[in-house]
Amino acid sequence: MAENCTHDCSSCSSNCGERTQPQSLLEPCNSVSSVKQVIAVVSGKGGVGKSLVTASLAAAMAKRGRKVGILDADITGPSIPHAFGIHEKATGTELGIDPAVSKGGVEVMSLNLLTQDETDPVVWRGPVIAGTVKQFWTDVAWGDVDYMFVDMPPGTGDVPLTVFQSLPVDGILVVTSPQDLVSMIVTKAVRMAELMNIPILGLIENYSWFQCPDCGKKHAIYGESHVDEVATRHQIPVLAKLPIDPAFAAAVDAGKVEELDPNPLAAVAEHLDA
């Protein structure tokens, strides 16, 4: 044993006789649940439409006949239930907490389903928030799920680290916008994914352009896109470039994300389900 041993073999390069394998931090899913694929939807900053992407992608996957769940890990800013028009409270049995189910069959668990009022602020410290996210995985009776989408808070703090260490995440989707910051944002996500040894499935750029309803011309409201060059640099595919579409935002605000026709993320759902 090394003289200054910390007993943390995962961070030690010594090859002593008492060396052990790093202990897995993965938490078991609820006993009545079986989740085949876990996909985290992340962003390096807030306000890029990550929840909108998560909700519409889940709706598109459900229309393909897959069993879909959404774990809303954005504890301090949960918006997934509203996008699906879900306002009732979660219930439970001795088997665990039952997720809410949308009209299209998407299962949802969010803090908004547990608080007395969905506008109540969440004033919690990081470890409490991270623990709640973990319980959404271990204590919710999800049943059989083909695709679990995890709507992540922005950044690389307690919650993303908890999700990546505690859940068997199969891949990450990075949502970004066409601004000069995109390179820094994507690079942060790539480096965290590398640290966690989780593949990045692709980039989704939101607010890419706006098409004038009168002349039909497309305008780059937020500036010209840099996502292709960033994607090439990191060898990550660009899966979608979403326009600024008032009808898209209106459907989400009205709780009718499942009624979007056509769904702008249908092609991404098909790609992931290939």
Side-chain angles (χ1 to χ4, degrees), residues 236-247:
I236 302 170
V238 177
L239 301 182
K241 294 181 180 180
L242 305 179
I244 301 172
D245 189 344

Side-chain angles (χ1 to χ4, degrees), residues 22-69:
Q23 184 177 0
S24 173
L25 299 176
L26 290 177
E27 294 285 343
C29 193
N30 179 272
S31 60
V32 295
S33 303
S34 174
V35 180
K36 295 178 181 177
Q37 292 278 324
V38 178
I39 298 174
V41 183
V42 309
S43 63
K45 62 186 292 293
V48 298
K50 171 180 49 57
S51 295
L52 178 147
V53 167
T54 303
S56 58
L57 181 56
M61 191 67 80
K63 285 186 177 180
R64 294 181 56 81
R66 306 307 181 193
K67 295 286 292 183
V68 180

Side-chain angles (χ1 to χ4, degrees), residues 40-242:
V41 183
V42 309
S43 63
K45 62 186 292 293
V48 298
K50 171 180 49 57
S51 295
L52 178 147
V53 167
T54 303
S56 58
L57 181 56
M61 191 67 80
K63 285 186 177 180
R64 294 181 56 81
R66 306 307 181 193
K67 295 286 292 183
V68 180
I70 300 179
L71 192 160
D72 190 355
D74 194 355
I75 300 296
T76 60
S79 55
I80 292 296
H82 185 83
F84 286 91
I86 298 173
H87 300 286
E88 67 269 18
K89 301 305 174 187
T91 59
T93 66
E94 67 278 1
L95 298 177
I97 304 170
D98 294 325
V101 182
S102 73
K103 294 179 181 178
V106 176
E107 295 184 336
V108 174
M109 177 47 61
S110 171
L111 194 67
N112 268 8
L113 306 178
L114 301 174
T115 56
Q116 184 173 352
D117 192 297
E118 60 185 32
T119 60
D120 289 344
V122 178
V123 188
W124 295 348
R125 294 190 182 276
V128 178
I129 293 175
T132 301
V133 171
K134 193 184 298 185
Q135 285 183 290
F136 283 175
W137 173 253
T138 61
D139 295 358
V140 175
W142 293 102
D144 292 327
V145 173
D146 295 316
Y147 291 93
M148 172 77 71
F149 293 101
V150 183
D151 185 27
M152 304 278 275
T156 55
D158 284 344
V159 171
L161 183 60
T162 296
V163 170
F164 294 150
Q165 288 184 329
S166 304
L167 276 63
V169 179
D170 296 286
I172 297 171
L173 293 172
V174 180
V175 182
T176 185
S177 58
Q179 296 169 304
D180 288 337
L181 284 173
V182 65
S183 179
M184 180 185 69
I185 292 168
V186 173
T187 300
K188 284 179 179 289
V190 169
R191 288 179 178 173
M192 185 169 192
E194 288 174 347
L195 285 173
M196 298 292 105
N197 197 28
I198 300 172
I200 294 183
L201 304 177
L203 304 179
I204 297 175
E205 184 182 73
N206 199 16
Y207 311 131
S208 292
W209 42 269
F210 171 75
Q211 187 167 14
C212 175
D214 296 322
C215 70
K217 186 177 179 180
K218 292 182 179 180
H219 301 273
I221 303 294
Y222 288 97
E224 295 300 325
S225 174
H226 300 274
V227 71
D228 287 321
E229 57 193 72
V230 173
T232 299
R233 188 183 313 144
H234 294 289
Q235 297 182 316
I236 302 170
V238 177
L239 301 182
K241 294 181 180 180
L242 305 179

